[in-house]
Amino acid sequence: MGLITLLFFAFMIVGMPVAFAIGISGFVFFLNDPVMPISIAVQKIATMSQSFPLLAVPFFVFAGHLMNESGITDRLFKFSYVAVGWMAGGLAQVAIVLSTVMGGVSGSAVADAAMEARILGPTMIAKGYGKGFSAAAIAVGSLITATIPPSIGLILYGYVGNVSIGRLFIAGIIPGLLMMIGLMTTTYLVAKRRGYVVANTERPTFKALASAVWGAKWALFFPVALVLTIRGGVFTPSEVGAFAVVYAFLVGFLAHKELDFEKTKRAFAHAISDIGLIMIIILMSGMVGFAIIYLQVPQGISSWMLAGIESPAMIVLVILVFLLIAGCFIESTVLVLLLTPIFVPIITQVGIDPVHFGILMMSIVTLGGMTPPVGVAMYAVCSLMNVKIEEYTIEALPFVATIIALILAMLFMPGLVLWLPNLAFG
């Protein structure tokens, strides 16, 4: 396993695409193992593609692009603007609320951050908000998308770790809302001190707020329908992905009447690109996942990393620190696929609920995408808004500190994560 790790990081350093770095490293393991035939490597790649739960990923990705082409994003922006635009740091508050409601549409933090950087970024800078502050609010705010259902990361974690995706979806609701409140509070304090202008000078009337909610009703109803259908046993998580695609078509063609052939074709093109990128990483990780189990890496890691630690919470804390550091260098999807088979057996053995750990893990590895040196969401936002990484990093510190404090609270108060899924599923 040490050879696989060494080769993976070597390929990453020279700039090789992640999927090929994982794939070549996995093949090298099979070529050097005297017992395992190389044919097993090919079988493991094929096996990863023969998964019914994994169908949720392409369905939700396609549904997200269809909803964006259906005018849902504009309606959600108007709702967020009316609801919180009057607060201090109004446009930054809008970005955070938009990430929360967009979490039920896109399922991808990077996609959400890039979209908001295009829509809100130029306006925030033009209104006098600091460039670094604007980029930080958008990038770190997109972290909420990693927990609000339907999160692509939670689907992958549930699939690889053999954890209930339905419970993960419901468990992510309260943490996502807590992140929204925490980031909005941080934004308020910073904006108040700096005197940033509000986006909407008047507090919304009940009529204006009701009108905004009604305009975005189909988008706001979707995550609710998703959770209710899973909890009611109407759909499995994979089937609800197919339902999401049908829902997006119905909203686009019949409700909003903005989806046409050209927009559908564009949604297909974007979805195919995203799905191809995600799936090739998943397929290549099949070999490495098998090697992890074959070499008994979880047992070795647990005896080395956790020696002398008896408290289950402290064991998870050590793992989270490791994941935070790893997340600063490696994309979250890769970490979930490679490290979930290692850490889930460890935390299960010490009595930690894998649903609880899954929310913590997804939050911490996705946070790595918002931090230097190789945060994907950070680079996407900074490049679109022409912001220096140094300026972004300084301004992101209060937001990152807020998220870390919240993750620690969820670690030591598991009821924040588990209360809702326990209530729903028992």
Side-chain angles (χ1 to χ4, degrees):
M1 192 61 194
L3 178 61
I4 294 177
T5 306
L6 180 63
L7 284 172
F8 174 70
F9 279 107
F11 290 138
M12 289 290 289
I13 289 171
V14 300
M16 180 175 287
V18 172
F20 295 115
I22 296 173
I24 295 174
S25 303
F27 271 116
V28 168
F29 163 76
F30 284 95
L31 288 172
N32 284 274
D33 190 272
V35 177
M36 285 293 166
I38 193 66
S39 60
I40 298 294
V42 180
Q43 290 176 14
K44 290 302 169 184
I45 294 175
T47 300
M48 290 295 284
S49 68
Q50 306 300 309
S51 167
F52 184 71
L54 209 57
L55 282 174
V57 174
F59 278 134
F60 278 123
V61 170
F62 183 39
H65 284 293
L66 282 174
M67 289 184 182
N68 284 336
E69 296 290 348
S70 300
I72 281 179
T73 301
D74 293 336
R75 287 167 171 79
L76 289 176
F77 172 76
K78 291 176 183 176
F79 161 75
S80 304
Y81 185 85
V82 171
V84 299
W86 56 273
M87 297 180 180
L91 287 174
Q93 305 284 13
V94 170
I96 293 167
V97 172
L98 186 58
S99 289
T100 306
V101 292
M102 280 297 295
V105 176
S106 69
S108 167
V110 177
D112 174 64
M115 178 272 295
E116 291 192 25
R118 294 188 186 97
I119 294 175
L120 281 168
T123 306
M124 292 176 71
I125 295 171
K127 292 289 186 180
Y129 292 67
K131 294 179 71 173
F133 172 83
S134 302
I138 290 173
V140 182
S142 68
L143 173 66
I144 301 170
T145 308
T147 61
I148 294 289
S151 164
I152 301 299
L154 290 180
I155 295 172
L156 296 179
Y157 171 85
Y159 165 65
V160 177
N162 196 26
V163 181
S164 168
I165 297 175
R167 288 180 64 89
L168 286 167
F169 275 1
I170 295 180
I173 295 173
I174 291 178
L177 295 176
L178 290 175
M179 288 181 191
M180 180 191 75
I181 294 170
L183 292 176
M184 288 181 69
T185 303
T186 303
T187 297
Y188 178 87
L189 295 174
V190 174
K192 199 74 172 175
R193 188 175 71 248
R194 297 181 183 178
Y196 287 146
V197 298
V198 297
N200 190 359
T201 55
E202 297 182 2
R203 295 194 180 196
T205 62
F206 177 79
K207 182 179 180 181
L209 189 57
S211 177
V213 171
W214 184 254
K217 60 183 178 297
W218 298 113
L220 297 174
F221 177 70
F222 172 66
V224 177
L226 181 150
V227 170
L228 291 177
T229 52
I230 291 177
R231 171 59 189 91
V234 180
F235 299 122
T236 67
S238 299
E239 292 167 346
V240 86
F243 161 74
V245 173
V246 175
Y247 185 92
F249 271 117
L250 292 176
V251 170
F253 281 110
L254 301 180
H256 293 170
K257 299 180 181 179
E258 293 189 20
L259 196 62
D260 54 26
F261 177 75
E262 286 300 320
K263 290 183 177 180
T264 302
K265 187 170 69 172
R266 187 161 59 233
F268 261 115
H270 291 158
I272 289 170
S273 176
D274 290 348
I275 292 167
L277 177 65
I278 295 170
M279 292 306 296
I280 193 171
I281 295 174
I282 293 172
L283 296 181
M284 291 299 105
S285 70
M287 293 181 292
V288 177
F290 176 81
I292 287 171
I293 297 171
Y294 173 72
L295 296 174
Q296 297 185 326
V297 173
Q299 293 86 332
I301 291 286
S302 61
S303 61
W304 167 72
M305 180 185 287
L306 310 174
I309 304 176
E310 297 182 358
S311 169
M314 292 307 297
I315 290 173
V316 176
L317 182 60
V318 171
I319 294 174
L320 292 178
V321 171
F322 171 79
L323 289 172
L324 178 61
I325 296 172
C328 294
F329 297 92
I330 304 173
E331 205 272 325
S332 60
T333 301
V334 179
L335 286 178
V336 170
L337 291 169
L338 296 185
L339 298 182
T340 297
I342 295 177
F343 289 131
V344 167
I346 295 174
I347 61 99
T348 303
Q349 183 179 354
V350 300
I352 299 294
D353 192 311
V355 172
H356 181 204
F357 178 73
I359 300 299
L360 298 175
M361 179 176 180
M362 275 312 307
S363 300
I364 206 76
V365 298
T366 308
L367 181 62
M370 289 90 187
T371 57
V374 291
V376 179
M378 175 190 71
Y379 279 120
V381 171
C382 289
S383 61
L384 288 169
M385 297 177 60
N386 194 26
V387 177
K388 293 181 180 179
I389 299 298
E390 298 83 0
E391 185 179 358
Y392 165 90
T393 302
I394 294 172
E395 295 286 1
L397 290 177
F399 296 103
V400 172
T402 299
I403 294 298
I404 290 176
L406 181 57
I407 291 173
L408 289 174
M410 291 191 294
L411 168 60
F412 292 103
M413 292 184 286
L416 293 174
V417 178
L418 296 176
W419 176 75
L420 201 54
N422 287 343
L423 181 67
F425 290 96

